[in-house]
């Protein structure tokens, strides 16, 4: 049965519990399952390998991304780790130069020492990616929107580059969520989510996921998922299933509030630059408009003078925007990428993409927009 997105989040992959009729997927809090005879079981043997609560979530996530296979991990980085484990020493991966600091750290500090080579390039121009492709290239890794500079990468064009070269294309879709963007529909082979963020939506769970269409690719990733063991527990899967049921409602409000707050910041006399793809003068606005359904609630901005002490004063004096790692929850958060999420990236590399000391990243929540504007106004008064 065809379902639109708002119906999918509630019904796709979800069935009432066959034993009781419970409409909510139960938390199957068990580590193992009784077998009638060796190998004769009901589809479940051990909960690292399979768990009914996780199965329901994986099926739901696959449906939301218009994919065939959903594969969940204990964190977003656990999901990325599984992707890179498909490759071997001597293989090369091309990544966007503006990306989450944890991804950069995993690539360079963990897999770099095992002989996998990474190239970090701006992806506004596909030719820069093509220049790095050689016989050893196996994967192009994309974030869009990027963290924290809110750059938009044209997934269709990047897919053309990848397919021409015979390499895989993976897209980190965390900032957009499946509500705003579906990379598989735009040519990606793998979609990654830090489920912790918008999919969970309530800052109470840590999880990652991969969604793919190709059966062979799914088989490889499921093998790594089980063999490496970075799997989420059933309680976490239950929490995400519950969070997803309001994803469409939350994302509508995040996007509405994001538009209001971005406009407010753009007109504030103490703000220098505002990074939000909904502005018509954003360098990638046309691409964002083409491949996203709306522009979301993630915003980064810098202050005139680019003084770290000014950024600290603003963040220390918020009343509603909480200074904390992460994003995508119902509550508004602020962060300082240079010292928090992106501290693992060398300063000179950060500044090449515009990540300066005064840059503040906002995850605009679902509170009343007027209250959020008032909070920004009072915090800015301290500089």
């Amino acid at each position: 049965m065809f379902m639109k997105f708002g119906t999918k989040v509630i019904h796709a992959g979800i069935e009432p519990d066959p034993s009781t009729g419970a409409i909510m997927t139960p938390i199957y809090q068990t580590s193992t399952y009784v077998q009638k005879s060796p190998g004769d079981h009901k589809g479940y043997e051990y909960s690292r390998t399979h768990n009914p609560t996780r199965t329901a979530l994986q099926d739901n996530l696959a449906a939301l991304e218009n994919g065939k296979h959903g594969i969940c991990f204990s964190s977003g980085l656990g999901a990325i780790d599984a992707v890179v484990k498909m490759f071997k020493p001597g293989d090369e991966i091309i990544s966007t130069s503006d990306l989450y600091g944890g991804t950069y750290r995993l690539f360079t500090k963990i897999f770099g020492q095992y002989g996998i080579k990474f190239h970090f390039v701006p992806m506004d121009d596909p030719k820069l990616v093509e220049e790095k492709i050689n016989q050893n290239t196996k994967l192009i890794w994309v974030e869009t929107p990027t963290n924290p500079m809110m750059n938009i990468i044209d997934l269709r064009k990047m897919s053309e580059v990848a397919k021409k070269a015979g390499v895989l294309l993976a897209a980190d879709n965390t900032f957009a969520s499946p509500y705003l963007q579906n990379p598989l529909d735009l040519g990606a082979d793998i979609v990654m989510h830090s489920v912790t963020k918008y999919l969970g939506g309530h800052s109470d769970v840590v999880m990652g996921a991969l969604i793919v269409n190709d059966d062979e690719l799914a088989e490889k990733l499921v093998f790594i998922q089980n063999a490496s063991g970075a799997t989420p527990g059933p309680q976490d899967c239950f929490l995400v299933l519950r969070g997803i049921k309001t994803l469409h409602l939350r994302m509508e409000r995040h996007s509405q509030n994001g538009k209001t707050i971005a406009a407010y910041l753009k007109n504030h006399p103490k703000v220098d630059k505002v990074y939000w793809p909904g502005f018509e003068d954003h360098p990638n606005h046309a691409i964002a408009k083409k491949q996203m359904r709306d522009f979301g609630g993630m915003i980064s901005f810098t202050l005139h003078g680019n003084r770290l002490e000014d950024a600290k004063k603003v963040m220390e004096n918020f009343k509603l925007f909480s200074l904390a790692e992460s994003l995508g929850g119902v509550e508004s958060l602020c962060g300082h990428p240079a010292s928090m999420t992106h501290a693992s990236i060398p300063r000179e590399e950060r500044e090449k993409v515009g990540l300066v000391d005064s840059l503040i990243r906002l995850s605009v929540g679902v509170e009343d927009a007027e209250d959020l504007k008032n909070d920004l106004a009072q915090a800015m008064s301290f500089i």
Side-chain angles (χ1 to χ4, degrees):
M1 176 182 175
F2 174 78
M3 291 183 278
K4 292 187 177 181
F5 192 87
T7 306
K8 280 184 183 179
V9 295
I10 296 169
H11 294 288
I14 310 296
E15 298 289 342
D17 177 52
S19 61
T20 65
I23 197 164
M24 290 293 115
T25 304
I27 303 170
Y28 286 89
Q29 195 70 52
T30 184
S31 61
T32 193
Y33 306 82
V34 174
Q35 302 185 29
K36 184 177 180 180
S37 181
D40 182 3
H41 51 74
K42 298 178 181 180
Y44 296 92
E45 301 168 84
Y46 188 60
S47 276
R48 186 191 68 247
T49 308
H50 297 293
N51 177 281
T53 315
R54 191 169 90 223
T55 297
L57 174 59
Q58 291 178 155
D59 290 346
N60 186 240
L61 289 172
L64 297 187
E65 282 288 10
N66 301 325
K68 189 175 179 182
H69 305 279
I71 311 157
C72 285
F73 298 82
S74 54
S75 70
L77 281 169
I80 301 169
D81 177 81
V83 173
V84 185
K85 279 178 177 169
M86 291 193 296
F87 308 113
K88 63 183 185 301
D91 289 343
E92 298 188 12
I93 293 173
I94 303 170
S95 168
T96 179
S97 57
D98 169 25
L99 79 168
Y100 168 51
T103 306
Y104 179 91
R105 180 180 59 223
L106 179 68
F107 287 173
T108 58
K109 301 297 184 184
I110 302 298
F111 287 104
Q113 67 183 336
Y114 299 135
I116 297 177
K117 187 174 181 180
F118 295 87
H119 303 278
F120 299 93
V121 301
M123 292 190 175
D124 293 355
D125 184 356
K127 290 180 181 177
L128 297 176
V129 177
E130 291 177 322
E131 288 172 1
K132 293 293 183 182
I133 292 175
N134 58 54
Q135 69 274 15
N136 296 321
T137 307
K138 296 295 187 291
L139 174 73
I140 298 172
W141 182 269
V142 172
E143 273 185 15
T144 182
T146 61
N147 180 4
M149 303 309 300
M150 303 305 297
N151 288 310
I152 306 296
I153 295 165
D154 191 325
L155 286 167
R156 284 200 185 279
K157 284 189 177 179
M158 209 52 61
S159 170
E160 290 170 5
V161 171
K163 284 176 172 52
K164 182 181 176 182
V167 304
L168 292 170
L169 174 65
D172 182 338
N173 201 29
T174 299
F175 268 28
S177 87
Y179 177 80
L180 297 181
Q181 179 175 269
N182 298 119
L184 292 179
D185 293 347
L186 299 169
D189 299 291
I190 303 170
V191 177
M192 195 288 294
H193 283 280
S194 175
V195 177
T196 309
K197 314 305 194 295
Y198 284 112
L199 286 164
H202 293 78
S203 301
D204 56 6
V205 65
V206 174
M207 193 185 299
L210 301 172
I211 301 95
V212 303
N213 273 319
D214 184 80
D215 294 343
E216 184 178 349
L217 185 56
E219 187 177 348
K220 289 179 182 178
L221 291 167
V222 168
F223 175 82
I224 294 169
Q225 176 200 40
N226 181 53
S228 295
T231 52
Q235 173 77 27
D236 287 348
C237 293
F238 173 86
L239 288 172
V240 175
L241 280 167
R242 183 175 66 170
I244 284 174
K245 292 184 188 300
T246 59
L247 177 64
H248 57 311
L249 305 175
R250 291 184 284 107
M251 292 308 298
E252 286 176 7
R253 185 59 174 262
H254 284 302
S255 296
Q256 291 168 5
N257 282 356
K259 182 177 182 179
T260 300
I261 297 306
Y264 174 81
L265 289 169
K266 194 169 188 178
N267 293 313
H268 198 287
K270 294 179 182 178
V271 172
D272 184 13
K273 295 184 177 72
V274 182
Y275 301 94
W276 183 68
F279 290 137
E280 289 188 4
D281 60 359
H282 185 286
N284 315 125
H285 175 72
I287 300 168
K289 194 173 181 181
K290 181 175 64 173
Q291 72 184 26
M292 297 174 70
R293 299 180 186 93
D294 208 333
F295 305 108
M298 295 303 301
I299 302 167
S300 293
F301 69 98
T302 59
L303 301 169
H304 283 300
N306 189 34
R307 290 180 290 272
L308 175 60
E309 56 270 26
D310 287 346
K312 284 183 176 180
K313 283 180 184 177
V314 171
M315 291 183 287
E316 289 167 357
N317 285 286
F318 277 130
K319 304 298 182 186
L320 294 178
F321 284 92
S322 299
L323 176 59
E325 299 270 3
S326 202
L327 59 105
V330 291
E331 68 291 318
S332 292
L333 299 178
C334 72
H336 185 245
S339 63
M340 296 168 70
T341 54
H342 292 66
S344 59
I345 299 176
R347 183 188 185 97
E348 61 273 15
E349 294 300 319
R350 294 197 305 262
E351 292 186 345
K352 279 181 188 177
V353 299
L355 205 172
V356 296
D357 282 348
S358 75
L359 187 131
I360 296 170
R361 190 190 72 184
L362 299 181
S363 173
V364 181
V366 300
E367 303 95 336
D368 189 284
E370 286 301 311
D371 290 335
L372 296 178
K373 286 199 300 184
N374 290 337
D375 192 31
L376 281 161
Q378 67 83 26
M380 293 283 197
S381 71
F382 286 86
I383 59 174

